[in-house]
Amino acid sequence: MKDLAFYVRKAQKGDPEAFVKIMQEYETVLFNLARRFLREEEDIKDVLQETTISAYENIRKLKQPEYFHTWLTRILINKCKRFLNKEVFFEELTEQTPRLSSEHPEEQVEISELLSNLAPHYRVPLTLYYYGGYSIKEISQLLEEPVGTIKARLSRGKRKLRNNCSDEGGLYHHG
């Protein structure tokens, strides 16, 4: 992009169109970098969204506009590392997940197996929500994630569970 520093200065003065223009310029670079850290496209999108929000909220703090690329890359890498650290936390937390109760023992085993096949960032919020009785806001606070991220992960996790159930002829095919 020609004259990046000019657009960065405009964005620092509160011009949202300048910020959007800059971010569009870096969209592919950021996506490709995030993909080196994370496997699932949904995770990459979440991290890119967090990176964009953080950059927008903090662009006024950038002292040298010509280093925008380096600054933005550092934000993305930190967001990816934070996400990966939470993955480890999720793994540790789900090892302590209580056994699910069900009237039908075979369903209990099936639900546990289906949950255990989910990525930790889906399994933990689902477990906390459905079996821990926590609200979305409480889960957000516990996991230090935005409410919107928790809602998205619950929704995606439920969809993955449904897909896994239908693929295996599971709970949703008892009739």
mmCIF file of all heavy atoms in Angstrom, residues 35-73:
data_model
loop_
_atom_site.group_PDB
_atom_site.id
_atom_site.type_symbol
_atom_site.label_atom_id
_atom_site.label_comp_id
_atom_site.label_asym_id
_atom_site.label_seq_id
_atom_site.Cartn_x
_atom_site.Cartn_y
_atom_site.Cartn_z
ATOM 1 N N ARG A 35 -2.942 -18.946 10.250
ATOM 2 C CA ARG A 35 -3.095 -20.342 9.844
ATOM 3 C C ARG A 35 -1.860 -21.163 10.224
ATOM 4 O O ARG A 35 -1.948 -22.367 10.428
ATOM 5 C CB ARG A 35 -3.349 -20.415 8.341
ATOM 6 C CG ARG A 35 -3.791 -21.786 7.891
ATOM 7 C CD ARG A 35 -4.286 -21.817 6.502
ATOM 8 N NE ARG A 35 -3.305 -21.207 5.617
ATOM 9 C CZ ARG A 35 -3.537 -20.968 4.348
ATOM 10 N NH1 ARG A 35 -4.692 -21.259 3.818
ATOM 11 N NH2 ARG A 35 -2.612 -20.427 3.588
ATOM 12 N N ARG A 36 -0.734 -20.528 10.364
ATOM 13 C CA ARG A 36 0.477 -21.249 10.785
ATOM 14 C C ARG A 36 0.404 -21.644 12.259
ATOM 15 O O ARG A 36 1.066 -22.573 12.688
ATOM 16 C CB ARG A 36 1.723 -20.410 10.543
ATOM 17 C CG ARG A 36 1.989 -20.192 9.081
ATOM 18 C CD ARG A 36 3.165 -19.263 8.885
ATOM 19 N NE ARG A 36 3.271 -18.861 7.507
ATOM 20 C CZ ARG A 36 4.120 -19.379 6.643
ATOM 21 N NH1 ARG A 36 4.936 -20.322 7.023
ATOM 22 N NH2 ARG A 36 4.151 -18.950 5.409
ATOM 23 N N PHE A 37 -0.397 -20.914 13.027
ATOM 24 C CA PHE A 37 -0.547 -21.208 14.450
ATOM 25 C C PHE A 37 -1.744 -22.112 14.736
ATOM 26 O O PHE A 37 -1.689 -22.967 15.603
ATOM 27 C CB PHE A 37 -0.752 -19.909 15.250
ATOM 28 C CG PHE A 37 0.482 -19.088 15.418
ATOM 29 C CD1 PHE A 37 0.802 -18.096 14.501
ATOM 30 C CD2 PHE A 37 1.329 -19.288 16.489
ATOM 31 C CE1 PHE A 37 1.930 -17.324 14.655
ATOM 32 C CE2 PHE A 37 2.460 -18.523 16.658
ATOM 33 C CZ PHE A 37 2.773 -17.540 15.732
ATOM 34 N N LEU A 38 -2.841 -21.871 14.053
ATOM 35 C CA LEU A 38 -4.115 -22.511 14.381
ATOM 36 C C LEU A 38 -4.586 -23.399 13.233
ATOM 37 O O LEU A 38 -4.336 -23.101 12.071
ATOM 38 C CB LEU A 38 -5.173 -21.440 14.675
ATOM 39 C CG LEU A 38 -4.753 -20.376 15.693
ATOM 40 C CD1 LEU A 38 -5.760 -19.257 15.744
ATOM 41 C CD2 LEU A 38 -4.572 -20.995 17.067
ATOM 42 N N ARG A 39 -5.336 -24.450 13.575
ATOM 43 C CA ARG A 39 -5.773 -25.408 12.560
ATOM 44 C C ARG A 39 -7.133 -25.062 11.970
ATOM 45 O O ARG A 39 -7.311 -25.110 10.761
ATOM 46 C CB ARG A 39 -5.853 -26.807 13.164
ATOM 47 C CG ARG A 39 -4.523 -27.381 13.552
ATOM 48 C CD ARG A 39 -4.687 -28.779 14.069
ATOM 49 N NE ARG A 39 -5.598 -28.807 15.208
ATOM 50 C CZ ARG A 39 -5.256 -29.110 16.440
ATOM 51 N NH1 ARG A 39 -4.033 -29.453 16.694
ATOM 52 N NH2 ARG A 39 -6.122 -29.111 17.412
ATOM 53 N N GLU A 40 -8.097 -24.781 12.810
ATOM 54 C CA GLU A 40 -9.468 -24.624 12.337
ATOM 55 C C GLU A 40 -9.738 -23.207 11.854
ATOM 56 O O GLU A 40 -9.370 -22.238 12.513
ATOM 57 C CB GLU A 40 -10.451 -24.997 13.443
ATOM 58 C CG GLU A 40 -10.371 -26.470 13.803
ATOM 59 C CD GLU A 40 -11.546 -26.926 14.612
ATOM 60 O OE1 GLU A 40 -12.667 -26.453 14.342
ATOM 61 O OE2 GLU A 40 -11.341 -27.750 15.517
ATOM 62 N N GLU A 41 -10.413 -23.122 10.721
ATOM 63 C CA GLU A 41 -10.698 -21.830 10.120
ATOM 64 C C GLU A 41 -11.533 -20.943 11.056
ATOM 65 O O GLU A 41 -11.338 -19.737 11.119
ATOM 66 C CB GLU A 41 -11.413 -22.002 8.783
ATOM 67 C CG GLU A 41 -11.465 -20.709 8.008
ATOM 68 C CD GLU A 41 -11.780 -20.902 6.548
ATOM 69 O OE1 GLU A 41 -11.443 -21.948 5.986
ATOM 70 O OE2 GLU A 41 -12.376 -19.970 5.985
ATOM 71 N N GLU A 42 -12.449 -21.551 11.806
ATOM 72 C CA GLU A 42 -13.265 -20.773 12.741
ATOM 73 C C GLU A 42 -12.402 -20.126 13.815
ATOM 74 O O GLU A 42 -12.651 -18.992 14.222
ATOM 75 C CB GLU A 42 -14.345 -21.662 13.364
ATOM 76 C CG GLU A 42 -15.367 -22.121 12.347
ATOM 77 C CD GLU A 42 -16.184 -23.307 12.829
ATOM 78 O OE1 GLU A 42 -15.805 -23.952 13.823
ATOM 79 O OE2 GLU A 42 -17.200 -23.582 12.182
ATOM 80 N N ASP A 43 -11.391 -20.839 14.289
ATOM 81 C CA ASP A 43 -10.466 -20.301 15.288
ATOM 82 C C ASP A 43 -9.667 -19.147 14.696
ATOM 83 O O ASP A 43 -9.456 -18.120 15.348
ATOM 84 C CB ASP A 43 -9.503 -21.380 15.794
ATOM 85 C CG ASP A 43 -10.219 -22.534 16.450
ATOM 86 O OD1 ASP A 43 -11.359 -22.350 16.906
ATOM 87 O OD2 ASP A 43 -9.641 -23.637 16.488
ATOM 88 N N ILE A 44 -9.235 -19.333 13.461
ATOM 89 C CA ILE A 44 -8.479 -18.282 12.771
ATOM 90 C C ILE A 44 -9.335 -17.028 12.657
ATOM 91 O O ILE A 44 -8.878 -15.924 12.950
ATOM 92 C CB ILE A 44 -8.001 -18.764 11.385
ATOM 93 C CG1 ILE A 44 -6.977 -19.892 11.548
ATOM 94 C CG2 ILE A 44 -7.425 -17.617 10.571
ATOM 95 C CD1 ILE A 44 -6.653 -20.643 10.263
ATOM 96 N N LYS A 45 -10.591 -17.199 12.268
ATOM 97 C CA LYS A 45 -11.492 -16.052 12.134
ATOM 98 C C LYS A 45 -11.691 -15.352 13.480
ATOM 99 O O LYS A 45 -11.717 -14.121 13.539
ATOM 100 C CB LYS A 45 -12.845 -16.488 11.559
ATOM 101 C CG LYS A 45 -12.775 -16.849 10.091
ATOM 102 C CD LYS A 45 -14.121 -17.323 9.585
ATOM 103 C CE LYS A 45 -14.052 -17.741 8.137
ATOM 104 N NZ LYS A 45 -15.343 -18.275 7.665
ATOM 105 N N ASP A 46 -11.838 -16.133 14.543
ATOM 106 C CA ASP A 46 -11.999 -15.541 15.880
ATOM 107 C C ASP A 46 -10.772 -14.707 16.256
ATOM 108 O O ASP A 46 -10.894 -13.586 16.746
ATOM 109 C CB ASP A 46 -12.216 -16.630 16.946
ATOM 110 C CG ASP A 46 -13.603 -17.256 16.889
ATOM 111 O OD1 ASP A 46 -14.501 -16.691 16.227
ATOM 112 O OD2 ASP A 46 -13.778 -18.327 17.504
ATOM 113 N N VAL A 47 -9.585 -15.267 16.020
ATOM 114 C CA VAL A 47 -8.349 -14.564 16.360
ATOM 115 C C VAL A 47 -8.183 -13.315 15.495
ATOM 116 O O VAL A 47 -7.767 -12.266 15.982
ATOM 117 C CB VAL A 47 -7.127 -15.510 16.255
ATOM 118 C CG1 VAL A 47 -5.830 -14.741 16.289
ATOM 119 C CG2 VAL A 47 -7.156 -16.525 17.386
ATOM 120 N N LEU A 48 -8.530 -13.415 14.212
ATOM 121 C CA LEU A 48 -8.448 -12.234 13.335
ATOM 122 C C LEU A 48 -9.407 -11.145 13.803
ATOM 123 O O LEU A 48 -9.059 -9.960 13.790
ATOM 124 C CB LEU A 48 -8.751 -12.625 11.885
ATOM 125 C CG LEU A 48 -7.680 -13.461 11.191
ATOM 126 C CD1 LEU A 48 -8.155 -13.884 9.808
ATOM 127 C CD2 LEU A 48 -6.369 -12.715 11.095
ATOM 128 N N GLN A 49 -10.585 -11.548 14.231
ATOM 129 C CA GLN A 49 -11.548 -10.564 14.738
ATOM 130 C C GLN A 49 -11.008 -9.891 16.005
ATOM 131 O O GLN A 49 -11.071 -8.669 16.139
ATOM 132 C CB GLN A 49 -12.888 -11.243 15.023
ATOM 133 C CG GLN A 49 -13.954 -10.276 15.509
ATOM 134 C CD GLN A 49 -15.281 -10.971 15.768
ATOM 135 O OE1 GLN A 49 -15.380 -12.185 15.804
ATOM 136 N NE2 GLN A 49 -16.315 -10.181 15.963
ATOM 137 N N GLU A 50 -10.469 -10.673 16.910
ATOM 138 C CA GLU A 50 -9.896 -10.113 18.138
ATOM 139 C C GLU A 50 -8.728 -9.186 17.823
ATOM 140 O O GLU A 50 -8.562 -8.142 18.460
ATOM 141 C CB GLU A 50 -9.450 -11.231 19.077
ATOM 142 C CG GLU A 50 -10.597 -11.988 19.712
ATOM 143 C CD GLU A 50 -10.118 -13.096 20.634
ATOM 144 O OE1 GLU A 50 -8.972 -13.020 21.136
ATOM 145 O OE2 GLU A 50 -10.884 -14.045 20.857
ATOM 146 N N THR A 51 -7.912 -9.570 16.841
ATOM 147 C CA THR A 51 -6.773 -8.747 16.434
ATOM 148 C C THR A 51 -7.251 -7.412 15.879
ATOM 149 O O THR A 51 -6.714 -6.353 16.224
ATOM 150 C CB THR A 51 -5.919 -9.487 15.374
ATOM 151 O OG1 THR A 51 -5.431 -10.698 15.960
ATOM 152 C CG2 THR A 51 -4.763 -8.637 14.891
ATOM 153 N N THR A 52 -8.260 -7.452 15.032
ATOM 154 C CA THR A 52 -8.803 -6.232 14.429
ATOM 155 C C THR A 52 -9.376 -5.304 15.493
ATOM 156 O O THR A 52 -9.103 -4.100 15.483
ATOM 157 C CB THR A 52 -9.892 -6.585 13.384
ATOM 158 O OG1 THR A 52 -9.310 -7.442 12.394
ATOM 159 C CG2 THR A 52 -10.449 -5.348 12.728
ATOM 160 N N ILE A 53 -10.126 -5.868 16.413
ATOM 161 C CA ILE A 53 -10.712 -5.057 17.493
ATOM 162 C C ILE A 53 -9.616 -4.421 18.337
ATOM 163 O O ILE A 53 -9.653 -3.230 18.645
ATOM 164 C CB ILE A 53 -11.666 -5.913 18.366
ATOM 165 C CG1 ILE A 53 -12.914 -6.290 17.557
ATOM 166 C CG2 ILE A 53 -12.038 -5.174 19.648
ATOM 167 C CD1 ILE A 53 -13.780 -7.356 18.204
ATOM 168 N N SER A 54 -8.620 -5.224 18.694
ATOM 169 C CA SER A 54 -7.520 -4.712 19.512
ATOM 170 C C SER A 54 -6.756 -3.610 18.774
ATOM 171 O O SER A 54 -6.409 -2.577 19.372
ATOM 172 C CB SER A 54 -6.581 -5.856 19.883
ATOM 173 O OG SER A 54 -5.563 -5.396 20.724
ATOM 174 N N ALA A 55 -6.495 -3.819 17.490
ATOM 175 C CA ALA A 55 -5.785 -2.803 16.701
ATOM 176 C C ALA A 55 -6.609 -1.517 16.629
ATOM 177 O O ALA A 55 -6.062 -0.412 16.791
ATOM 178 C CB ALA A 55 -5.482 -3.328 15.298
ATOM 179 N N TYR A 56 -7.895 -1.656 16.409
ATOM 180 C CA TYR A 56 -8.764 -0.476 16.310
ATOM 181 C C TYR A 56 -8.783 0.298 17.634
ATOM 182 O O TYR A 56 -8.689 1.525 17.655
ATOM 183 C CB TYR A 56 -10.182 -0.890 15.913
ATOM 184 C CG TYR A 56 -11.107 0.276 15.694
ATOM 185 C CD1 TYR A 56 -11.030 1.041 14.536
ATOM 186 C CD2 TYR A 56 -12.051 0.637 16.658
ATOM 187 C CE1 TYR A 56 -11.867 2.128 14.324
ATOM 188 C CE2 TYR A 56 -12.889 1.715 16.460
ATOM 189 C CZ TYR A 56 -12.798 2.461 15.294
ATOM 190 O OH TYR A 56 -13.627 3.532 15.099
ATOM 191 N N GLU A 57 -8.896 -0.445 18.729
ATOM 192 C CA GLU A 57 -8.967 0.192 20.051
ATOM 193 C C GLU A 57 -7.644 0.840 20.468
ATOM 194 O O GLU A 57 -7.637 1.761 21.279
ATOM 195 C CB GLU A 57 -9.384 -0.834 21.105
ATOM 196 C CG GLU A 57 -10.831 -1.267 20.969
ATOM 197 C CD GLU A 57 -11.205 -2.393 21.924
ATOM 198 O OE1 GLU A 57 -10.304 -3.048 22.505
ATOM 199 O OE2 GLU A 57 -12.418 -2.631 22.078
ATOM 200 N N ASN A 58 -6.531 0.341 19.931
ATOM 201 C CA ASN A 58 -5.223 0.794 20.406
ATOM 202 C C ASN A 58 -4.380 1.535 19.375
ATOM 203 O O ASN A 58 -3.236 1.876 19.665
ATOM 204 C CB ASN A 58 -4.427 -0.418 20.934
ATOM 205 C CG ASN A 58 -5.075 -1.018 22.151
ATOM 206 O OD1 ASN A 58 -5.182 -0.373 23.183
ATOM 207 N ND2 ASN A 58 -5.551 -2.248 22.034
ATOM 208 N N ILE A 59 -4.914 1.800 18.204
ATOM 209 C CA ILE A 59 -4.108 2.407 17.140
ATOM 210 C C ILE A 59 -3.554 3.782 17.539
ATOM 211 O O ILE A 59 -2.481 4.167 17.106
ATOM 212 C CB ILE A 59 -4.874 2.478 15.803
ATOM 213 C CG1 ILE A 59 -3.878 2.772 14.677
ATOM 214 C CG2 ILE A 59 -6.036 3.461 15.882
ATOM 215 C CD1 ILE A 59 -4.403 2.485 13.300
ATOM 216 N N ARG A 60 -4.256 4.468 18.400
ATOM 217 C CA ARG A 60 -3.767 5.789 18.838
ATOM 218 C C ARG A 60 -2.492 5.679 19.665
ATOM 219 O O ARG A 60 -1.741 6.636 19.796
ATOM 220 C CB ARG A 60 -4.854 6.508 19.626
ATOM 221 C CG ARG A 60 -5.981 6.998 18.750
ATOM 222 C CD ARG A 60 -6.961 7.881 19.513
ATOM 223 N NE ARG A 60 -7.899 8.491 18.592
ATOM 224 C CZ ARG A 60 -9.160 8.119 18.462
ATOM 225 N NH1 ARG A 60 -9.646 7.156 19.213
ATOM 226 N NH2 ARG A 60 -9.947 8.714 17.595
ATOM 227 N N LYS A 61 -2.252 4.501 20.221
ATOM 228 C CA LYS A 61 -1.050 4.289 21.043
ATOM 229 C C LYS A 61 0.194 4.014 20.204
ATOM 230 O O LYS A 61 1.304 4.064 20.726
ATOM 231 C CB LYS A 61 -1.279 3.121 22.009
ATOM 232 C CG LYS A 61 -2.378 3.379 23.019
ATOM 233 C CD LYS A 61 -2.600 2.169 23.893
ATOM 234 C CE LYS A 61 -3.775 2.370 24.825
ATOM 235 N NZ LYS A 61 -4.074 1.161 25.602
ATOM 236 N N LEU A 62 0.000 3.702 18.925
ATOM 237 C CA LEU A 62 1.132 3.429 18.037
ATOM 238 C C LEU A 62 1.913 4.724 17.813
ATOM 239 O O LEU A 62 1.393 5.692 17.276
ATOM 240 C CB LEU A 62 0.625 2.861 16.700
ATOM 241 C CG LEU A 62 1.672 2.562 15.637
ATOM 242 C CD1 LEU A 62 2.646 1.488 16.119
ATOM 243 C CD2 LEU A 62 0.994 2.134 14.346
ATOM 244 N N LYS A 63 3.167 4.731 18.219
ATOM 245 C CA LYS A 63 3.953 5.961 18.169
ATOM 246 C C LYS A 63 4.553 6.230 16.787
ATOM 247 O O LYS A 63 4.712 7.372 16.394
ATOM 248 C CB LYS A 63 5.061 5.903 19.222
ATOM 249 C CG LYS A 63 4.499 5.880 20.647
ATOM 250 C CD LYS A 63 5.584 6.042 21.661
ATOM 251 C CE LYS A 63 5.162 5.911 23.082
ATOM 252 N NZ LYS A 63 3.811 6.025 23.455
ATOM 253 N N GLN A 64 4.886 5.184 16.061
ATOM 254 C CA GLN A 64 5.502 5.359 14.750
ATOM 255 C C GLN A 64 4.662 4.636 13.688
ATOM 256 O O GLN A 64 4.769 3.413 13.532
ATOM 257 C CB GLN A 64 6.933 4.816 14.760
ATOM 258 C CG GLN A 64 7.830 5.598 15.718
ATOM 259 C CD GLN A 64 9.207 4.983 15.803
ATOM 260 O OE1 GLN A 64 9.363 3.843 16.194
ATOM 261 N NE2 GLN A 64 10.212 5.769 15.423
ATOM 262 N N PRO A 65 3.839 5.379 12.958
ATOM 263 C CA PRO A 65 2.938 4.776 11.968
ATOM 264 C C PRO A 65 3.633 3.896 10.933
ATOM 265 O O PRO A 65 3.048 2.939 10.433
ATOM 266 C CB PRO A 65 2.283 5.985 11.296
ATOM 267 C CG PRO A 65 2.362 7.063 12.318
ATOM 268 C CD PRO A 65 3.640 6.822 13.056
ATOM 269 N N GLU A 66 4.887 4.159 10.638
ATOM 270 C CA GLU A 66 5.599 3.352 9.640
ATOM 271 C C GLU A 66 5.846 1.918 10.127
ATOM 272 O O GLU A 66 6.164 1.028 9.339
ATOM 273 C CB GLU A 66 6.922 4.012 9.211
ATOM 274 C CG GLU A 66 7.921 4.229 10.325
ATOM 275 C CD GLU A 66 7.732 5.554 11.087
ATOM 276 O OE1 GLU A 66 6.687 6.210 10.952
ATOM 277 O OE2 GLU A 66 8.668 5.912 11.820
ATOM 278 N N TYR A 67 5.678 1.674 11.438
ATOM 279 C CA TYR A 67 5.842 0.331 11.989
ATOM 280 C C TYR A 67 4.501 -0.369 12.224
ATOM 281 O O TYR A 67 4.420 -1.341 12.970
ATOM 282 C CB TYR A 67 6.644 0.379 13.301
ATOM 283 C CG TYR A 67 8.075 0.792 13.079
ATOM 284 C CD1 TYR A 67 8.570 1.970 13.622
ATOM 285 C CD2 TYR A 67 8.933 0.014 12.305
ATOM 286 C CE1 TYR A 67 9.882 2.354 13.405
ATOM 287 C CE2 TYR A 67 10.246 0.400 12.083
ATOM 288 C CZ TYR A 67 10.713 1.568 12.635
ATOM 289 O OH TYR A 67 12.014 1.944 12.411
ATOM 290 N N PHE A 68 3.469 0.105 11.566
ATOM 291 C CA PHE A 68 2.132 -0.477 11.725
ATOM 292 C C PHE A 68 2.141 -1.981 11.458
ATOM 293 O O PHE A 68 1.562 -2.750 12.225
ATOM 294 C CB PHE A 68 1.116 0.214 10.802
ATOM 295 C CG PHE A 68 -0.257 -0.381 10.890
ATOM 296 C CD1 PHE A 68 -1.113 -0.030 11.926
ATOM 297 C CD2 PHE A 68 -0.700 -1.299 9.950
ATOM 298 C CE1 PHE A 68 -2.384 -0.577 12.017
ATOM 299 C CE2 PHE A 68 -1.969 -1.855 10.032
ATOM 300 C CZ PHE A 68 -2.803 -1.491 11.065
ATOM 301 N N HIS A 69 2.783 -2.388 10.382
ATOM 302 C CA HIS A 69 2.800 -3.810 10.011
ATOM 303 C C HIS A 69 3.383 -4.665 11.144
ATOM 304 O O HIS A 69 2.809 -5.686 11.531
ATOM 305 C CB HIS A 69 3.596 -4.018 8.719
ATOM 306 C CG HIS A 69 3.738 -5.458 8.339
ATOM 307 N ND1 HIS A 69 2.725 -6.175 7.759
ATOM 308 C CD2 HIS A 69 4.783 -6.323 8.483
ATOM 309 C CE1 HIS A 69 3.133 -7.418 7.554
ATOM 310 N NE2 HIS A 69 4.375 -7.525 7.981
ATOM 311 N N THR A 70 4.503 -4.239 11.679
ATOM 312 C CA THR A 70 5.148 -4.964 12.774
ATOM 313 C C THR A 70 4.254 -4.982 14.007
ATOM 314 O O THR A 70 4.092 -6.015 14.657
ATOM 315 C CB THR A 70 6.506 -4.304 13.124
ATOM 316 O OG1 THR A 70 7.277 -4.231 11.933
ATOM 317 C CG2 THR A 70 7.244 -5.078 14.187
ATOM 318 N N TRP A 71 3.664 -3.849 14.308
ATOM 319 C CA TRP A 71 2.781 -3.713 15.462
ATOM 320 C C TRP A 71 1.571 -4.631 15.315
ATOM 321 O O TRP A 71 1.216 -5.359 16.243
ATOM 322 C CB TRP A 71 2.366 -2.239 15.562
ATOM 323 C CG TRP A 71 1.392 -1.899 16.639
ATOM 324 C CD1 TRP A 71 1.633 -1.781 17.977
ATOM 325 C CD2 TRP A 71 0.009 -1.579 16.464
ATOM 326 N NE1 TRP A 71 0.487 -1.409 18.641
ATOM 327 C CE2 TRP A 71 -0.516 -1.285 17.732
ATOM 328 C CE3 TRP A 71 -0.829 -1.516 15.350
ATOM 329 C CZ2 TRP A 71 -1.856 -0.933 17.919
ATOM 330 C CZ3 TRP A 71 -2.146 -1.165 15.536
ATOM 331 C CH2 TRP A 71 -2.655 -0.877 16.811
ATOM 332 N N LEU A 72 0.954 -4.636 14.152
ATOM 333 C CA LEU A 72 -0.223 -5.463 13.892
ATOM 334 C C LEU A 72 0.123 -6.947 13.945
ATOM 335 O O LEU A 72 -0.613 -7.750 14.517
ATOM 336 C CB LEU A 72 -0.824 -5.096 12.530
ATOM 337 C CG LEU A 72 -2.128 -5.773 12.153
ATOM 338 C CD1 LEU A 72 -3.231 -5.413 13.147
ATOM 339 C CD2 LEU A 72 -2.541 -5.359 10.743
ATOM 340 N N THR A 73 1.273 -7.295 13.390
ATOM 341 C CA THR A 73 1.719 -8.689 13.417
ATOM 342 C C THR A 73 1.944 -9.147 14.850
ATOM 343 O O THR A 73 1.571 -10.267 15.222
ATOM 344 C CB THR A 73 3.019 -8.850 12.595
ATOM 345 O OG1 THR A 73 2.751 -8.432 11.248
ATOM 346 C CG2 THR A 73 3.506 -10.279 12.602
#
